[in-house]
Amino acid sequence: MKTVITYGTFDLFHEGHLNLLKRAKALGNRLIVGVTTEQFDVQRGKMNVVDSLMRRLDNVRNSGFADEIIIEEREGQKLEDIQKYNADIFVVGSDWTGKFDYLKEFCEVTYLPRTKNVSSSGIRTLRREIIKLGVVGTGRIAKRTMEELHFVSGITATAVFNPNPKSAKKFAEKFSIGIESSNYEQFLNEVDAVYIASPHETHYDYSRRALIAGKHVLCEKPFVLKETEAKELFEIASETNLVIMEAIKTAYSPGFLNLLAIARSGRIGKIHDIEAAFTKLVPETPKAREYNSICGGAFTELASYSLLPIVKLLGTNYSELSFDCFKNKNGIDIYSKAYFKYENSVATVKTGIGVKSEGQLLISGTNGYILVKSPWWLFKGFEVCYEDPNDNEFFSTPFHGFGMRYEFADFVQNINEASFKNFKLTKSDSIFMAKIMEEFLKKRTNSL
Ligand code: CTP
């Protein structure tokens, strides 16, 4: 009796999968097939899997080769499964050659030649037209995003816009983008969707013009700086069936979603306090965008992150809001705090570009607290703590690269699937944040 075990996503089940399962089964008497969960795929950086786990399981079952089907949900599980099911042979396609040699200590490892010219990624690409993305702005965040885009299928950057032609050209050359432009309308004609990573004060105008031209929009934080502007943009998008999303990478990351689930489950009891801080020292030079006289400053630059857990866990109906801030000689805040009062809880946002502090997120409840250590917005893990420290639990969560791949995966899905519900960062969350930015800027101008 020989047991063979193999694993895969088996998305959009194809001939290559069937061939692999057939040959794997022929190597023994019993075949166990591990199918990955959606979460595990996202964790290992495989974005945009199309078929649900149920459908993928059905397809493997219908192949008729699997004697047993199991779910693969975490790193390190293969070894445990090999022992648990007493597997004699581990089988995988030749695209993985060498990657599983470490299992040779426990069983035979066989890499079967892949079936040529077929893959789930290829079918995914053929099924849909690749979204042509235009990048607005050529600064640091846009550059980082270009690296992240490689990890998301179904979208590719085809054009870049900067009012300064030299900057557009330099960016296009660096990232091999075919079209560069300093004329926004012409640029819009070339693309299906835009990613806006320009200075804050330009977000509203660029987003609006893109929507009017029929393009989907993913706009960097802070989305816009006025509540009415946010409402208007969402309205145009809904009337024209276009997608508009705010790019706060943390909101789309697996770790943050995990934290929300735990916090909402009542594990730490009733939540009475949220404290979120993000500071980043930025030297005050004439060119530094963070000190821009119209809408620069610590709060507009960084508060979007800290407002996120507040709006997600406490909602939009606060009863009181006040601010404190310290400004430089030009009236730009270098350190700001916002204090929220809700019916049964309080929350604080702490931001600084000229003052440094601990960048942690702390959520306090009647049974315990959740602590996400600095830099909390790059959600790598968090701790749930109780009165008795022996009960404390640590959750480690993936956060790949710079993290933009998560928001782009949702952006693509949102564009491609009319029924896709984006619960991670909703219209009302973004409108709330715009409103808080507006309140803050009003108070800052009136000198607090
Ligand atoms: N496989 C194969 N021949 C192919 C495609 C896949 O033998 N043409 C094998 C893989 O090597 C793996 C199993 O089928 O052992 C499941 O592969 P999976 O990653 O789900 O499929 P891919 O088509 O490779 O998916 P993707 O394009 O998303 O990487």
Side-chain angles (χ1 to χ4, degrees), residues 57-76:
L57 289 169
D58 278 349
N59 287 339
V60 170
R61 188 174 305 113
N62 292 341
S63 75
F65 295 115
D67 296 291
E68 198 164 334
I69 303 176
I70 59 173
I71 307 282
E72 186 185 22
E73 52 191 349
R74 67 196 142 75
E75 204 65 55

Side-chain angles (χ1 to χ4, degrees), residues 292-310:
N292 172 294
S293 61
I294 310 167
C295 52
F299 200 80
T300 51
E301 182 65 22
L302 302 170
S304 307
Y305 288 105
S306 299
L307 290 170
L308 185 64
I310 297 174

Side-chain angles (χ1 to χ4, degrees), residues 326-340:
F326 296 97
K327 303 190 272 191
N328 68 7
K329 58 181 185 321
N330 302 323
I332 298 307
D333 56 306
I334 58 161
Y335 184 65
S336 299
K337 290 182 87 169
Y339 312 91
F340 289 87

Side-chain angles (χ1 to χ4, degrees), residues 148-350:
E148 288 285 301
L149 269 184
H150 295 301
F151 298 94
V152 186
S153 49
I155 190 160
T156 186
T158 55
V160 57
F161 166 81
N162 191 309
N164 174 346
K166 268 192 194 153
S167 304
K169 188 164 193 284
K170 209 168 146 200
F171 192 89
E173 276 168 7
K174 185 168 163 78
F175 296 103
S176 310
I177 297 177
I179 301 164
E180 83 233 17
S181 181
S182 54
N183 176 318
Y184 197 56
E185 260 61 42
Q186 263 173 19
F187 156 84
L188 288 175
N189 279 337
E190 306 288 345
V191 298
D192 307 313
V194 292
Y195 166 61
I196 298 177
S198 51
H200 307 160
E201 69 277 15
T202 62
H203 288 181
Y204 167 70
D205 183 52
Y206 286 148
S207 298
R208 192 170 182 280
R209 284 157 71 191
L211 289 174
I212 288 170
K215 314 298 168 182
H216 304 285
V217 175
L218 178 64
C219 181
E220 266 304 329
K221 72 219 155 292
F223 177 42
V224 286
L225 301 164
K226 284 195 177 113
E227 187 183 8
T228 48
E229 291 179 351
K231 284 185 173 161
E232 185 197 340
L233 292 178
F234 277 105
E235 224 156 87
I236 303 176
S238 111
E239 279 163 10
T240 46
N241 277 331
L242 291 164
V243 172
I244 184 157
M245 281 170 52
E246 183 173 6
I248 304 181
K249 59 188 178 191
T250 312
Y252 304 89
S253 69
F256 183 65
L257 296 171
N258 198 5
L259 173 136
L260 290 184
I262 287 176
R264 286 174 180 150
S265 74
R267 192 103 134 222
I268 59 164
K270 268 203 164 138
I271 296 168
H272 281 297
D273 192 11
I274 299 180
E275 296 165 274
F278 191 158
T279 65
K280 176 183 83 177
L281 285 182
V282 181
E284 201 174 333
T285 58
K287 273 185 109 182
R289 154 187 75 78
E290 290 84 353
Y291 291 94
N292 172 294
S293 61
I294 310 167
C295 52
F299 200 80
T300 51
E301 182 65 22
L302 302 170
S304 307
Y305 288 105
S306 299
L307 290 170
L308 185 64
I310 297 174
V311 70
K312 284 304 197 189
L313 292 171
L314 304 181
T316 54
N317 286 329
Y318 58 85
S319 53
E320 283 174 38
L321 169 62
S322 60
F323 303 98
D324 269 320
C325 79
F326 296 97
K327 303 190 272 191
N328 68 7
K329 58 181 185 321
N330 302 323
I332 298 307
D333 56 306
I334 58 161
Y335 184 65
S336 299
K337 290 182 87 169
Y339 312 91
F340 289 87
K341 219 172 190 179
Y342 286 78
E343 199 183 339
N344 279 309
S345 41
V346 288
T348 322
V349 168
K350 194 154 92 171

Side-chain angles (χ1 to χ4, degrees), residues 426-440:
T426 64
K427 168 181 162 183
S428 88
D429 297 335
S430 285
I431 292 174
F432 170 85
M433 293 196 195
K435 178 181 167 183
I436 306 301
M437 293 289 166
E438 184 175 5
E439 295 279 322
F440 174 79

Side-chain angles (χ1 to χ4, degrees), residues 39 53 70 89-90 122 130 134 146 151 186 212 255 281 288 305 393 412 421 441 447:
Q39 262 172 333
L53 176 59
I70 59 173
I89 313 176
F90 171 88
I130 301 268
M146 290 309 300
F151 298 94
Q186 263 173 19
I212 288 170
L281 285 182
Y305 288 105
E393 302 162 283
V412 170
K421 283 237 169 349
L441 287 174
S447 223

Side-chain angles (χ1 to χ4, degrees), residues 31-92:
L31 176 65
I32 300 175
V33 183
V35 181
T36 53
T37 62
E38 276 106 354
Q39 262 172 333
F40 183 49
D41 276 322
V42 171
Q43 271 183 28
R44 57 196 192 117
K46 189 164 184 162
M47 319 297 286
N48 289 0
V49 171
V50 174
D51 286 341
S52 67
L53 176 59
M54 281 304 163
R55 172 167 293 184
R56 290 181 288 122
L57 289 169
D58 278 349
N59 287 339
V60 170
R61 188 174 305 113
N62 292 341
S63 75
F65 295 115
D67 296 291
E68 198 164 334
I69 303 176
I70 59 173
I71 307 282
E72 186 185 22
E73 52 191 349
R74 67 196 142 75
E75 204 65 55
Q77 188 186 318
K78 290 188 178 74
L79 181 52
E80 288 168 37
D81 290 342
I82 287 168
Q83 293 184 333
K84 182 169 162 191
Y85 297 99
N86 211 3
D88 301 285
I89 313 176
F90 171 88
V91 171
V92 73

